[in-house]
Amino acid sequence: MGSVKVTFQPENKTIEAQCGETLMDVASRGNIDINNLCGGQGVCGKCRVKILKGKVKFLSKQIGFLEKGEIESGYMLACQTEVRDEDIEVFIPINSRKEEERILTTDQLLNYGAPAPLEKGPDFVKIPYFSPLCQKLYLELSEPTLTDSVSDLDRIYREIRKRLPDFQIQAHFSVLWGLASLLRKNDWKTTATLHLRDLNCPHIRNIEAGNTSAQNYGVAVDVGTTTIVAQLIDLRTGTVIGVEGSLNRQARYGEDVISRMIFACTRGGLQPLTEAVITTINSLVQSISEKARISMEDITCFVASGNTTMTHLLLGLEPCHIRLQPYIPTANRFPPFQTAEIGLKGHSKALLHCMPCVSSYVGGDITAGVLACGMNDQPEVSALIDVGTNGEIVIGNSEWLVCCSASAGPAFEGGGIKCGMRATKGAIEKIILSGKKLEYTVIGESKPRGICGSGLIDLLAELVAEEVIDQRGKFIQFDHPHVRFTNEVAEFVLAEGEETETGEAVVVTEDDIANLIKSKGAILAAMKVLLENFDMSFNDLQHIYVAGGFGAHLDIEKAIFIGLLPDIPKDRIRFIGNSSLAGSRFALLSSHAFAKAEAIAKQMTYFELSVHPEFMNEFVASLFLPHTHMELFPSVEQKLNQRKKVSK
Amino acid sequence: MGSVKVTFQPENKTIEAQCGETLMDVASRGNIDINNLCGGQGVCGKCRVKILKGKVKFLSKQIGFLEKGEIESGYMLACQTEVRDEDIEVFIPINSRKEEERILTTDQLLNYGAPAPLEKGPDFVKIPYFSPLCQKLYLELSEPTLTDSVSDLDRIYREIRKRLPDFQIQAHFSVLWGLASLLRKNDWKTTATLHLRDLNCPHIRNIEAGNTSAQNYGVAVDVGTTTIVAQLIDLRTGTVIGVEGSLNRQARYGEDVISRMIFACTRGGLQPLTEAVITTINSLVQSISEKARISMEDITCFVASGNTTMTHLLLGLEPCHIRLQPYIPTANRFPPFQTAEIGLKGHSKALLHCMPCVSSYVGGDITAGVLACGMNDQPEVSALIDVGTNGEIVIGNSEWLVCCSASAGPAFEGGGIKCGMRATKGAIEKIILSGKKLEYTVIGESKPRGICGSGLIDLLAELVAEEVIDQRGKFIQFDHPHVRFTNEVAEFVLAEGEETETGEAVVVTEDDIANLIKSKGAILAAMKVLLENFDMSFNDLQHIYVAGGFGAHLDIEKAIFIGLLPDIPKDRIRFIGNSSLAGSRFALLSSHAFAKAEAIAKQMTYFELSVHPEFMNEFVASLFLPHTHMELFPSVEQKLNQRKKVSK
């Protein structure tokens, strides 16, 4: 059979295809991104397309995901529908697409006020011991004479030693090629690129003519499972030049870590996954560089943080044994990688440093988070919570650190929620409900097309406060104008079809609420169990740092209200945004910070929740808004009682 | 004009040539090696060929080098004769060819009896602190469990730390690729290849399955200007597996260092020179490996020593500024080079270490020599003399070291001597003259075709002792059966045409003797000036180590007799053969020795003879056999007086 043409609308893009290919694969080949939460296994239902013309092969597995009306209208799941032997035309609705997100690119740790004073660098970068992992030193060498006849290389070492007297300096052998004429053609003025990861032994990786010390840039990357964010940083000043995020192109192979591991180890192999993440990073860096009018040749250093699996995939290491007992990664501490050897674009001799991981399930992103929030610098006991699919929690202080993974699930990132989406344009991020009156704000101020994590937190709090739902999360106020039933499941309507981008209503169902409660319950229960293991309670936490990709802001009061966060004074809780990115940046700008990150990773003890007998009980007790045991949430109880008094 | 055919005899090989090409170039293209001492400039006269058929273009520059009879017989210099527009046939006499030499491949330092005891290794390698620059450690790792869940890399570090507890171990990033499955498929049995140049910080460069610790070989190379010698060494035991030498293929671009530097910097560029030496080394190593049935993949480490220019050419560094004031090399201490990056064949991750140089004119070969003879380990003052073109001399002890270059010229290697040749098959190496009776031995026991350095030393001593020549080196005994005149120059006939390989007589002329006297005079004068600068005399030398390529042995008494070596007790003088190769081998087998070599190079002070006012006077005074001032040579004076008494 020959090839047929598949035309996708509304872009009117035609791609050749073979009989038997799924519409998902055809679209992917044509660089059209359709949602692929489950990696093409037909179990998430997020890849609906509509057949406009022609016949296709409809695999019956998908029937459970489509409503009767949809099938009649020609809707199918792209991953469960195959091309036959005739040309077809396919419409991809907006909700089935991955759009550019307003990825969480800011982090609020720029001024985290580290205790030690800066050695140099501008005020706004309050990082102790500003000493970038890669530095360029401009050298004006004295011309050799008969009485000063040291070799060219020794002349360079001698000059550098005036600035770094305590160090044993070495050079990469490639630096010697062409060195003699470079120095003589440039009047002995030259710039040395120094790599400082090994604090005692700086390595010269490159020598350039003249003064290029101002052209030295580094990239900090948060390599997230779903989104990747890169910051381009001027390594001379510490300034952030630009920041961009995009979807991790690995998603076409599975949208969560487990499905990607399975892909790497069984179906497709490691290489496509590594290539996908490298390509994503290169695109981001290229985009930032072009906008900032910076040559990518001037990028000398990368620091990346991701969870353990993401780090392995980035570096081209098989992740297979991470998910199999006894859960062993290839490495937790990674030597610097030559970027040229893994396809990262920048200077040909740039290096990539990955933030150290702790265990199979707690990765460099958490180490970065601890570094960034500074919890291990303080004597007071604090917690770091990364509200995401893994729901990692770290508790400790300058003397001890323990971490665990709550496996919260992706609800707060929009996963498994009917109209859930990431914090991107079109997401409802903030909600206020007063009786029957609903107000909301949408990211990008466009028409809504879904709701993101911060919006979900707001909504839950409002619904409980307004008694639209009870503390179990069940709808009780059926005469509320926004409450209705669809397919016998109660839901709260945030916006009707006329108001929305898609023409479909944006709703949150009772099932969605149940998922959210499970997610938030896992996190709180994990925190409680971890603390009790050390004979502590929530009140012993002097600080809670909340990181995560569920929005650009967090209403802490509402998060406490629903029992996601414990009921301690609000001023002890701080939303720190993308702490993985911030930690990468700190390490990039300070080899001392990088060394500290390695110490943190070594110090952190992983606590396996699933074997802890109390966890299940605590989890069940947390499946309440805010909690089964209201004595844990006195301020919430007080508020609820006040409302009852008022409404009576 | 089209191409013509040039047929070379006696090999009967035909090569196509273009009008205007020299016979030298045509032969070279056909891999026929004709002597090329002066790099084709027509000033050495060693490339005689005979035109058998056809017409050629005869450049008149060569007339001064050919005798009248030669031109009439059709002899011409191959580099000064060009192809015209017709086919020709050319005969290349044996004396115009470069033959395989019996290169000085042995060194007598295997048992130099170092003071410190061996830590391990066989008895015959008496090197302190046997700790090869590259080691393979076989590791049997414990399988991971839930309670022992360190990463794969940390598991390896942990095991290595049991053997090397005081070290900070690192790994090359490439070691991580495929590591997880390699360990699991091989029952956690693995071999780590460790690079130990940095004594405090061993680097893992490779991980192999199972136990490959017995397959670990290194190569020590003496990169000489004319000859290159390589030794293949078992790094587990220290055993020398094989050794071979050959001509340095750079010779076609000029047979001495200066002509090659000129070629690199003007005519042809650096690349052909680098390629030539790399090719030579690869051929040697391949040959040794094949004979020993060893896979070149198991070669993990190379140590090379050569003079400063040779080292630069090997590594692809421009040598241009070495010969121009103020004489600055690119480097004296060289970082390890990745062999794969310069074309050396061995394991893909093997490293090349070059012995450190001292200055433009004293190189790694001399550092290696000092290391090998151990003169810097002793409190007594000693000297090392490398009798070669550069005639380097080192004087000192454990507290101080000075060196200079006597620029002796190539006479003792056969250069500039009419029938001079290297110590190879066909060279007269030993001579005894009693009155009219002459006895000689030839290397390889074949018919003689020339005389090498040790033979020349013997001959000079015998001729003076037998009063065939006077102490100025002039012939005085004209009625001696072996003395005659050719072209009005007196000569001593060692073997008539009938006895020789070539059919030409092997002689030593009065001009040759003058050249030898100049060479030996430069060396002795240099030693004297250096010693007097430190208020010392010859008698203060407790040891003299003599290195060089002039034969497999040295008659020390005769060398003193002619004034090449000072008149001190014979038992203080020792011929140590190829000390450059020995020093390379020591460094290969001991990272401590390599570090010591770096200290030696740093410690050595270069002494510029040419600016010293006394040198010229001392040189002139040395142009006598043994010396103008006989009080410096009391034992020789005594012998000469005894002979006079006897003959009277």
Side-chain angles (χ1 to χ4, degrees):
Chain A
M1 287 173 274
S3 63
V4 296
K5 291 186 177 38
V6 179
T7 305
F8 289 101
Q9 301 293 359
E11 49 262 82
N12 205 28
K13 189 170 181 179
T14 302
I15 300 158
E16 292 217 356
Q18 299 297 322
C19 174
E21 281 195 280
T22 65
L23 299 184
M24 175 75 81
D25 287 342
V26 177
S28 185
R29 265 196 298 104
N31 282 324
I32 295 173
D33 284 323
I34 302 179
N35 270 335
N36 190 359
L37 205 84
C38 66
Q41 296 181 58
V43 297
C44 73
K46 295 279 185 182
C47 60
R48 280 169 173 73
V49 295
K50 181 171 170 163
I51 311 301
L52 300 175
K53 285 188 193 153
K55 291 199 189 65
V56 292
K57 185 171 174 191
F58 176 95
L59 302 178
S60 55
K61 185 176 179 183
Q62 58 184 301
I63 291 177
F65 289 88
L66 298 164
E67 293 173 15
K68 190 160 174 287
E70 286 184 302
I71 300 175
E72 281 164 4
S73 308
Y75 279 94
M76 302 184 194
L77 295 187
C79 68
Q80 300 299 317
T81 304
E82 291 174 3
V83 172
R84 280 169 67 172
D85 51 3
E86 60 181 40
D87 296 346
I88 56 173
E89 200 173 322
V90 181
F91 174 78
I92 308 173
I94 196 171
N95 264 7
S96 297
R97 294 177 182 270
K98 300 180 185 189
E99 291 282 351
E100 199 59 54
E101 294 197 9
R102 184 187 79 181
I103 309 298
L104 186 66
T105 56
T106 58
D107 65 86
Q108 291 155 309
L109 282 164
L110 280 175
N111 300 315
Y112 89 113
L118 262 186
E119 282 188 358
K120 57 178 193 252
D123 286 342
F124 72 88
V125 174
K126 291 193 188 305
I127 294 169
Y129 312 119
F130 181 74
S131 61
L133 282 176
C134 187
Q135 297 184 28
K136 283 193 180 180
L137 295 189
Y138 171 57
L139 313 168
E140 287 183 352
L141 307 173
S142 47
E143 202 167 330
T145 63
L146 284 171
T147 44
D148 173 22
S149 61
V150 297
S151 70
D152 295 340
L153 184 62
D154 284 329
R155 192 167 299 273
I156 288 171
Y157 284 158
R158 187 175 71 187
E159 194 60 37
I160 293 176
R161 231 176 264 122
K162 294 178 188 169
R163 319 253 191 112
L164 305 172
D166 298 326
F167 297 132
Q168 175 82 4
I169 303 156
Q170 294 187 15
H172 191 260
F173 66 87
S174 60
V175 153
L176 297 188
W177 289 328
L179 180 62
S181 51
L182 184 145
L183 292 175
R184 287 158 181 80
K185 283 182 186 157
N186 290 280
D187 199 30
W188 300 91
K189 295 176 167 63
T190 181
T191 304
T193 304
L194 281 157
H195 172 231
L196 280 98
R197 176 147 160 189
D198 183 345
L199 290 174
N200 296 324
C201 186
H203 275 73
I204 303 174
R205 282 190 68 74
N206 197 28
I207 296 277
E208 292 167 327
N211 188 351
T212 58
S213 59
Q215 284 84 54
N216 187 20
Y217 298 93
V219 173
V221 197
D222 165 30
V223 186
T225 307
T226 306
T227 57
I228 295 180
V229 188
Q231 272 179 339
L232 182 68
I233 294 156
D234 182 328
L235 295 178
R236 188 175 52 109
T237 62
T239 318
V240 176
I241 301 294
V243 59
E244 269 188 47
S246 77
L247 295 177
N248 184 341
R249 281 177 210 177
Q250 282 177 343
R252 75 179 54 165
Y253 305 109
E255 208 152 301
D256 64 82
V257 161
I258 302 286
S259 14
R260 284 177 217 176
M261 272 200 269
I262 292 171
F263 186 96
C265 303
T266 56
R267 297 169 51 206
L270 182 54
Q271 208 253 345
L273 284 162
T274 301
E275 216 174 277
V277 63
I278 296 287
T279 305
T280 307
I281 296 173
N282 284 340
S283 301
L284 286 171
V285 175
Q286 189 163 347
S287 177
I288 303 171
S289 303
E290 278 169 5
K291 286 176 190 151
R293 298 226 177 99
I294 273 151
S295 165
M296 283 176 78
E297 282 290 305
D298 294 332
I299 298 173
T300 55
C301 193
F302 290 72
V303 176
S305 54
N307 67 47
T308 307
T309 300
M310 292 311 305
T311 306
H312 278 60
L313 295 175
L314 171 67
L315 300 177
L317 309 178
E318 317 145 303
C320 313
H321 305 283
I322 290 175
R323 64 176 201 94
L324 301 170
Q325 234 187 20
Y327 315 114
I328 309 293
T330 297
N332 280 323
R333 288 173 298 134
F334 304 90
F337 273 64
Q338 287 174 27
T339 52
E341 296 272 333
I342 56 173
L344 270 184
K345 290 184 185 161
H347 190 274
S348 59
K349 292 204 259 186
L351 292 175
L352 164 67
H353 307 271
C354 289
M355 294 294 274
C357 303
V358 177
S359 74
S360 276
Y361 290 109
V362 177
D365 49 349
I366 304 305
T367 308
V370 171
L371 177 72
C373 70
M375 63 186 283
N376 77 314
D377 284 334
Q378 309 161 28
E380 316 93 74
V381 175
S382 307
L384 167 71
I385 307 172
D386 197 315
V387 180
T389 308
N390 299 321
E392 292 102 336
I393 294 161
V394 186
I395 292 178
N397 64 2
S398 50
E399 294 184 14
W400 57 276
L401 288 168
V402 292
C403 57
C404 68
S405 177
S407 301
F412 287 107
E413 289 165 324
I417 304 296
K418 185 171 184 182
C419 298
M421 62 182 287
R422 312 199 87 80
T424 185
K425 184 171 170 180
I428 293 173
E429 62 168 347
K430 203 172 163 62
I431 291 167
I432 296 173
L433 183 65
S434 314
K436 301 184 193 312
K437 187 161 171 292
L438 175 74
E439 287 171 53
Y440 60 73
T441 38
V442 180
I443 294 174
E445 289 167 14
S446 65
K447 286 186 175 180
R449 53 187 186 94
I451 179 168
C452 69
S454 54
L456 290 162
I457 289 169
D458 277 15
L459 183 64
L460 242 60
E462 297 292 295
L463 290 179
V464 173
E466 293 295 311
E467 292 177 300
V468 178
I469 61 177
D470 64 11
Q471 284 179 270
R472 296 171 306 153
K474 302 292 171 204
F475 278 91
I476 48 179
Q477 215 190 107
F478 296 108
D479 58 349
H480 194 288
H482 285 266
V483 175
R484 68 168 184 226
F485 278 82
T486 295
N487 294 336
E488 295 165 22
V489 178
E491 64 190 26
F492 189 88
V493 182
L494 289 161
E496 292 287 2
E498 308 87 59
E499 299 164 52
T500 70
E501 176 81 46
T502 58
E504 308 266 337
V506 174
V507 304
V508 173
T509 71
E510 201 169 74
D511 292 340
D512 292 340
I513 291 170
N515 278 338
L516 285 159
I517 289 176
K518 284 196 204 111
S519 283
K520 73 94 185 168
I523 288 171
L524 195 87
M527 238 195 299
K528 189 161 189 289
V529 166
L530 208 51
L531 283 163
E532 278 171 3
N533 198 62
F534 293 90
D535 291 321
M536 282 192 270
S537 69
F538 290 130
N539 269 311
D540 292 311
L541 293 172
Q542 297 307 310
H543 306 277
I544 295 182
Y545 302 98
V546 185
F550 46 92
H553 68 277
L554 171 69
D555 189 320
I556 290 169
E557 203 172 327
K558 291 182 183 175
I560 295 172
F561 201 85
I562 64 169
L564 167 63
L565 297 178
D567 196 352
I568 66 175
K570 254 179 48 178
D571 60 1
R572 292 195 210 172
I573 303 179
R574 193 171 158 199
F575 175 58
I576 58 170
N578 192 338
S579 58
S580 170
L581 185 67
S584 295
R585 190 178 72 258
F586 286 8
L588 181 64
L589 291 174
S590 170
S591 39
H592 297 264
F594 192 93
K596 188 196 274 195
E598 298 202 299
I600 289 168
K602 252 182 140 169
Q603 194 185 6
M604 288 222 271
T605 308
Y606 181 67
F607 188 92
E608 179 57 62
L609 276 177
S610 60
V611 303
H612 202 281
E614 274 309 298
F615 179 65
M616 202 33 78
N617 293 339
E618 290 292 350
F619 175 58
V620 168
S622 298
L623 297 179
F624 219 65
L625 297 163
H627 201 275
T628 310
H629 307 304
M630 288 307 294
E631 60 273 20
L632 289 173
F633 286 82
S635 78
V636 179
E637 185 168 41
Q638 194 182 38
K639 286 189 190 111
L640 285 171
N641 290 341
Q642 273 176 342
R643 292 188 76 93
K644 286 181 180 143
K645 282 186 192 151
V646 163
S647 57
K648 278 184 179 143
Chain B
M1 288 174 270
S3 61
V4 296
K5 290 185 174 43
V6 180
T7 303
F8 289 100
Q9 301 292 359
E11 50 262 81
N12 206 30
K13 189 170 183 178
T14 302
I15 300 158
E16 292 215 355
Q18 299 296 322
C19 173
E21 280 195 280
T22 65
L23 298 184
M24 176 74 83
D25 288 341
V26 178
S28 185
R29 265 196 297 106
N31 281 324
I32 295 173
D33 284 324
I34 302 180
N35 271 335
N36 191 359
L37 206 85
C38 65
Q41 293 180 62
V43 297
C44 73
K46 295 279 184 180
C47 60
R48 280 172 173 70
V49 296
K50 180 168 170 166
I51 309 303
L52 299 175
K53 285 189 192 148
K55 291 200 190 65
V56 291
K57 186 171 175 189
F58 177 93
L59 301 179
S60 54
K61 186 177 180 183
Q62 55 184 302
I63 290 178
F65 289 89
L66 297 164
E67 293 172 18
K68 191 160 173 285
E70 285 184 302
I71 299 174
E72 282 164 2
S73 307
Y75 278 96
M76 302 184 192
L77 295 187
C79 67
Q80 299 300 316
T81 304
E82 290 174 4
V83 171
R84 279 169 67 172
D85 52 2
E86 59 182 39
D87 294 348
I88 55 173
E89 200 174 322
V90 181
F91 174 77
I92 308 173
I94 197 170
N95 264 7
S96 297
R97 291 177 185 272
K98 301 182 185 186
E99 292 283 350
E100 198 61 52
E101 292 198 13
R102 183 185 80 180
I103 309 298
L104 187 65
T105 57
T106 58
D107 65 84
Q108 290 154 309
L109 281 164
L110 280 174
N111 300 317
Y112 89 112
L118 262 186
E119 283 188 357
K120 56 181 197 249
D123 286 340
F124 73 86
V125 174
K126 293 195 186 303
I127 295 168
Y129 314 119
F130 180 75
S131 60
L133 282 176
C134 187
Q135 296 183 30
K136 283 193 181 181
L137 294 189
Y138 172 57
L139 312 168
E140 286 184 354
L141 307 173
S142 49
E143 202 167 330
T145 63
L146 284 170
T147 44
D148 173 21
S149 60
V150 298
S151 70
D152 296 338
L153 184 62
D154 284 328
R155 193 166 298 273
I156 289 171
Y157 285 158
R158 188 174 71 186
E159 195 61 38
I160 293 176
R161 232 176 264 122
K162 293 178 187 169
R163 319 255 192 111
L164 305 171
D166 297 326
F167 298 133
Q168 175 82 5
I169 303 155
Q170 293 188 16
H172 191 260
F173 66 87
S174 61
V175 151
L176 297 189
W177 289 329
L179 179 62
S181 53
L182 183 145
L183 292 176
R184 287 160 181 78
K185 284 183 186 154
N186 290 282
D187 199 30
W188 301 91
K189 295 176 167 65
T190 180
T191 304
T193 304
L194 281 157
H195 170 231
L196 281 97
R197 175 149 162 188
D198 182 346
L199 291 174
N200 295 324
C201 187
H203 275 74
I204 303 175
R205 282 190 68 75
N206 196 30
I207 297 278
E208 291 167 327
N211 188 350
T212 57
S213 58
Q215 284 85 54
N216 186 21
Y217 298 92
V219 173
V221 197
D222 165 29
V223 186
T225 305
T226 305
T227 57
I228 295 181
V229 188
Q231 272 180 338
L232 183 68
I233 293 155
D234 182 328
L235 294 177
R236 189 175 52 108
T237 62
T239 319
V240 176
I241 303 293
V243 59
E244 270 187 45
S246 75
L247 294 176
N248 185 340
R249 280 178 210 173
Q250 282 177 344
R252 75 179 52 166
Y253 305 109
E255 207 152 303
D256 63 84
V257 162
I258 302 288
S259 15
R260 284 179 216 175
M261 272 201 269
I262 293 170
F263 186 95
C265 303
T266 54
R267 296 168 51 203
L270 181 54
Q271 208 252 343
L273 285 162
T274 301
E275 218 174 278
V277 63
I278 296 286
T279 304
T280 308
I281 296 173
N282 283 340
S283 300
L284 286 171
V285 175
Q286 190 164 348
S287 176
I288 304 171
S289 303
E290 279 170 4
K291 287 174 187 150
R293 299 228 177 94
I294 273 153
S295 164
M296 284 175 78
E297 280 290 305
D298 293 332
I299 298 172
T300 55
C301 193
F302 291 72
V303 175
S305 52
N307 66 47
T308 308
T309 300
M310 293 310 307
T311 307
H312 277 59
L313 295 174
L314 170 68
L315 300 177
L317 309 179
E318 318 145 305
C320 314
H321 305 283
I322 290 175
R323 65 176 201 93
L324 302 168
Q325 232 185 22
Y327 315 115
I328 309 291
T330 297
N332 280 323
R333 291 173 298 135
F334 304 90
F337 272 64
Q338 288 174 24
T339 51
E341 295 272 333
I342 55 174
L344 269 184
K345 291 184 182 157
H347 190 274
S348 59
K349 290 203 256 184
L351 291 176
L352 164 68
H353 307 273
C354 288
M355 293 295 273
C357 303
V358 178
S359 73
S360 276
Y361 290 109
V362 178
D365 50 348
I366 304 307
T367 309
V370 171
L371 177 72
C373 71
M375 63 186 285
N376 77 313
D377 283 334
Q378 310 161 25
E380 315 93 73
V381 176
S382 308
L384 167 72
I385 307 172
D386 197 318
V387 179
T389 309
N390 297 320
E392 292 102 337
I393 294 160
V394 186
I395 292 177
N397 65 2
S398 50
E399 293 185 15
W400 57 277
L401 288 167
V402 292
C403 56
C404 67
S405 176
S407 300
F412 286 107
E413 289 167 321
I417 303 295
K418 186 172 183 181
C419 297
M421 62 183 286
R422 312 200 86 80
T424 186
K425 185 171 171 181
I428 293 172
E429 60 167 349
K430 204 171 163 63
I431 290 168
I432 295 172
L433 183 65
S434 314
K436 301 185 195 308
K437 184 159 172 295
L438 176 73
E439 286 169 55
Y440 59 75
T441 39
V442 180
I443 294 174
E445 288 165 14
S446 64
K447 285 186 176 179
R449 54 186 185 94
I451 178 167
C452 68
S454 53
L456 290 163
I457 289 168
D458 277 15
L459 182 65
L460 243 61
E462 297 292 294
L463 291 178
V464 173
E466 293 294 311
E467 293 177 299
V468 177
I469 60 177
D470 64 10
Q471 284 179 272
R472 296 172 305 155
K474 302 293 172 203
F475 279 91
I476 48 179
Q477 213 189 109
F478 297 108
D479 60 349
H480 193 287
H482 285 267
V483 176
R484 68 167 184 227
F485 279 83
T486 294
N487 293 338
E488 294 164 24
V489 179
E491 62 190 27
F492 188 90
V493 181
L494 290 161
E496 292 287 2
E498 308 87 60
E499 299 166 52
T500 70
E501 174 83 44
T502 57
E504 308 266 337
V506 175
V507 306
V508 173
T509 71
E510 201 170 77
D511 292 340
D512 290 341
I513 291 170
N515 277 338
L516 285 160
I517 288 174
K518 285 196 205 112
S519 282
K520 74 93 184 168
I523 288 172
L524 194 88
M527 237 194 301
K528 190 161 189 287
V529 166
L530 208 52
L531 282 164
E532 278 170 3
N533 199 63
F534 293 90
D535 292 322
M536 282 191 272
S537 68
F538 291 130
N539 270 311
D540 292 313
L541 293 172
Q542 297 306 311
H543 305 277
I544 295 182
Y545 302 100
V546 186
F550 46 93
H553 68 278
L554 170 68
D555 188 322
I556 290 168
E557 202 170 329
K558 291 183 183 174
I560 294 171
F561 200 86
I562 64 171
L564 166 63
L565 297 179
D567 196 353
I568 68 175
K570 254 178 53 177
D571 59 1
R572 294 196 209 170
I573 302 178
R574 194 173 157 198
F575 175 57
I576 61 171
N578 192 336
S579 58
S580 170
L581 185 66
S584 295
R585 190 179 71 259
F586 286 8
L588 181 65
L589 291 175
S590 171
S591 38
H592 296 265
F594 192 94
K596 188 196 273 194
E598 298 204 299
I600 288 167
K602 251 182 140 170
Q603 196 185 7
M604 289 221 273
T605 307
Y606 181 67
F607 189 92
E608 180 56 63
L609 277 176
S610 59
V611 302
H612 203 280
E614 274 307 298
F615 179 65
M616 201 35 76
N617 292 339
E618 289 291 351
F619 176 58
V620 167
S622 298
L623 297 179
F624 218 65
L625 296 163
H627 200 274
T628 310
H629 306 304
M630 287 306 294
E631 59 273 19
L632 290 173
F633 285 82
S635 80
V636 180
E637 185 168 43
Q638 193 182 38
K639 284 188 192 119
L640 285 170
N641 289 343
Q642 275 176 341
R643 292 188 74 92
K644 286 179 182 149
K645 284 188 196 150
V646 164
S647 55
K648 275 183 184 148

